[in-house]
Amino acid sequence: MEIKIVKDILESNNVTAEENRKFFKEKKAVLINIMSSPGAGKTELLDATLGMLDGALRSAVVEGDICTTMDAERLTHRNVPLVQINTDTLGGVCHLEASMIREAVSKFDINDTDVVFVENVGNLVCPAEFDIGANLSVALLSSPEGPDKPLKYPLMFRTCPVVILSKMDIVEALGVDIDEYERNILKVNPTAKILRVSAKTGAGMDAWINVLKELHKTSAG
Amino acid sequence: MEIKIVKDILESNNVTAEENRKFFKEKKAVLINIMSSPGAGKTELLDATLGMLDGALRSAVVEGDICTTMDAERLTHRNVPLVQINTDTLGGVCHLEASMIREAVSKFDINDTDVVFVENVGNLVCPAEFDIGANLSVALLSSPEGPDKPLKYPLMFRTCPVVILSKMDIVEALGVDIDEYERNILKVNPTAKILRVSAKTGAGMDAWINVLKELHKTSAG
């Protein structure tokens, strides 16, 4: 068994992340890193996003999971390039690293792509520690998870300039105070842009699509 | 900065976990490791459990969080010994390890205790890799997380002989098929004991309390 040293892993990841950033800039494409707890609705958001973008931005998706291709399969009907990373072949790693993204992006033609969406492993801790070289990191916080999560997992919410409050359609049934979620996000990240979204009903999706279009215009335009 | 070697960490953790197991056996107490995604309802389950046990089993709680004492504070009204582990002082570790439990248990009198509940860090991946020496590992899967989670995070559901389907009170509002959750748990762990619970309404709590009483009788009795 290979002995991995934690310090080395983090340092070499940062070097590769910088290379990814440079590569995407040259190719006039943007890389979006979508992170959350398991079951917060990353795949459902991506499905709705691909449906609404439909051609406006040419998209590709990199799916990160410990195992299975279930999430990728949910997106095949969108007819965009899909690459699945299964980390169980890499020792069951609980996050994606910059080198995995480089490898994944080599599987399709980046010259035909405006935006690469990365769906990270469902985990509110470790993915925030590993820069993949993204132009934008986005955290999803689903309403059933409760308003305390930004305070308990501050690195994730501090790392992400955009936070999506997902599953807004069940807020009423849950009886939660969604303003409290926003206040707690702003406590750890006062400049966060917060979007209230239901991928199911489409509510709030326009604002998210605009974020993507603006980002592509400024970063890659 | 200290260089930590992954292989050594796992090996030395297993040694300490065995020592914990021996220690609890000698003390006629049981150790319960409660794990789930962030926001699946671990603290709410513990709160309801302590309320129902009320004296039948003398309890203590070890709360594991990266930061904050928010979960421990929610349990202070139960008047049981509470120890908070904050892993941010340990480099923000995303799981609890056997040595942390040994340290935490030294903070109260184990001779006055029948059950020690450990609420692990909210994470469906790494906590399953670290044996803490528990008599019983329990995974919570909350209904809003979706039925695919056992297939995507199989190690967690394979590690836990008891799986609690939590937040059963909102199943109808979500419109999910809860039988599918059970089928997927049994696919990765055919002998799992599955309990449908709402800590909020109390539904299913009796079965969970019985599991605890039986375990204490056989393990420590």
Side-chain angles (χ1 to χ4, degrees):
Chain A
M1 184 182 151
E2 194 198 336
I3 295 173
K4 292 182 190 174
I5 298 170
V6 173
K7 195 180 161 190
D8 276 5
I9 290 173
L10 280 169
E11 279 174 3
S12 87
N13 181 71
N14 286 341
V15 170
T16 311
E18 274 316 310
E19 289 169 1
N20 285 354
R21 230 182 298 276
K22 227 171 116 184
F23 174 79
F24 273 83
K25 197 172 179 185
E26 279 168 18
K27 297 296 183 181
K28 294 180 186 290
V30 293
L31 180 65
I32 316 280
N33 187 9
I34 302 178
M35 296 177 280
S36 77
S37 298
K42 294 184 292 301
T43 313
E44 195 159 354
L45 177 77
L46 269 175
D47 192 6
T49 302
L50 295 172
M52 284 182 73
L53 282 177
D54 191 33
L57 295 173
R58 296 164 301 166
S59 306
V61 175
V62 177
E63 280 291 341
D65 287 293
I66 294 168
C67 54
T68 82
T69 53
M70 297 174 79
D71 289 352
E73 282 160 29
R74 286 170 63 187
L75 300 176
T76 50
H77 72 117
R78 294 299 182 188
N79 290 313
V80 301
L82 286 170
V83 182
Q84 176 77 52
I85 300 172
N86 278 150
T87 68
D88 59 357
T89 62
L90 308 158
V93 187
C94 56
H95 58 268
L96 296 181
E97 297 179 15
S99 59
M100 301 177 197
I101 303 304
R102 180 167 57 186
E103 169 78 9
V105 170
S106 73
K107 306 287 186 199
F108 55 88
D109 190 352
I110 189 72
N111 296 306
D112 289 340
T113 313
D114 298 312
V115 188
V116 177
F117 294 98
V118 172
E119 180 175 344
N120 217 307
V121 179
N123 181 341
L124 218 43
V125 188
C126 316
E129 293 168 13
F130 286 82
D131 186 5
I132 59 167
N135 299 78
L136 178 66
S137 293
V138 182
L140 266 68
L141 172 58
S142 83
S143 52
E145 288 176 70
D148 55 344
K149 297 303 165 292
L151 305 179
K152 293 178 62 190
Y153 303 86
L155 182 65
M156 178 58 78
F157 293 91
R158 208 174 287 138
T159 305
C160 292
V162 172
V163 178
I164 292 181
L165 292 172
S166 63
K167 306 200 184 184
M168 285 297 296
D169 51 292
I170 57 168
V171 163
E172 252 182 66
L174 292 168
V176 296
D177 172 13
I178 203 72
D179 292 335
E180 196 184 347
Y181 292 60
E182 292 214 0
R183 283 194 299 274
N184 287 342
I185 293 165
L186 294 172
K187 271 181 199 163
V188 300
N189 184 359
T191 63
K193 185 181 180 73
I194 302 172
L195 305 172
R196 298 183 179 197
V197 171
S198 167
K200 202 173 185 175
T201 67
M205 283 294 296
D206 279 337
W208 163 238
I209 297 292
N210 280 340
V211 165
L212 295 172
K213 287 182 177 170
E214 280 303 312
L215 180 71
H216 182 257
K217 215 190 283 178
T218 39
S219 304
Chain B
M1 184 184 151
E2 194 201 335
I3 295 172
K4 292 183 188 172
I5 299 171
V6 173
K7 194 179 162 191
D8 276 5
I9 290 174
L10 280 169
E11 278 174 5
S12 87
N13 180 72
N14 286 342
V15 171
T16 311
E18 273 317 309
E19 289 168 1
N20 285 353
R21 229 181 297 275
K22 229 171 114 184
F23 173 80
F24 273 82
K25 196 172 180 185
E26 277 167 21
K27 297 295 182 182
K28 295 181 188 289
V30 294
L31 181 65
I32 315 280
N33 187 9
I34 302 179
M35 298 178 279
S36 76
S37 298
K42 294 183 290 303
T43 314
E44 195 160 355
L45 177 76
L46 268 176
D47 192 3
T49 303
L50 295 171
M52 284 183 72
L53 281 177
D54 191 32
L57 295 173
R58 295 164 302 166
S59 307
V61 175
V62 177
E63 280 290 342
D65 287 292
I66 294 168
C67 55
T68 83
T69 55
M70 296 175 80
D71 288 352
E73 283 160 28
R74 287 170 61 187
L75 299 177
T76 51
H77 72 116
R78 294 299 182 188
N79 291 313
V80 301
L82 286 171
V83 182
Q84 177 77 53
I85 299 172
N86 278 151
T87 67
D88 58 358
T89 63
L90 307 159
V93 187
C94 56
H95 58 267
L96 297 181
E97 296 178 15
S99 58
M100 303 178 195
I101 303 305
R102 179 168 58 186
E103 168 79 7
V105 170
S106 73
K107 306 287 186 199
F108 56 88
D109 190 352
I110 190 73
N111 296 306
D112 290 341
T113 313
D114 298 313
V115 188
V116 177
F117 294 98
V118 172
E119 180 175 344
N120 218 307
V121 179
N123 181 339
L124 218 43
V125 188
C126 317
E129 293 168 13
F130 286 82
D131 186 5
I132 60 167
N135 299 78
L136 178 66
S137 294
V138 182
L140 266 68
L141 172 58
S142 83
S143 52
E145 288 175 70
D148 55 344
K149 298 303 165 293
L151 305 179
K152 291 179 61 190
Y153 303 87
L155 182 65
M156 177 60 77
F157 293 91
R158 207 174 287 137
T159 305
C160 292
V162 172
V163 178
I164 292 180
L165 292 172
S166 64
K167 307 199 183 185
M168 285 298 296
D169 51 291
I170 55 168
V171 163
E172 253 181 64
L174 292 168
V176 295
D177 172 14
I178 204 71
D179 292 335
E180 195 184 347
Y181 293 60
E182 292 215 3
R183 282 194 299 273
N184 287 342
I185 293 164
L186 294 172
K187 271 181 200 164
V188 299
N189 184 358
T191 63
K193 183 179 180 73
I194 302 172
L195 305 172
R196 299 182 179 198
V197 171
S198 166
K200 202 173 188 176
T201 67
M205 283 295 294
D206 279 337
W208 163 237
I209 297 293
N210 280 340
V211 166
L212 295 172
K213 287 181 177 169
E214 280 303 312
L215 180 71
H216 182 256
K217 215 189 285 178
T218 39
S219 305

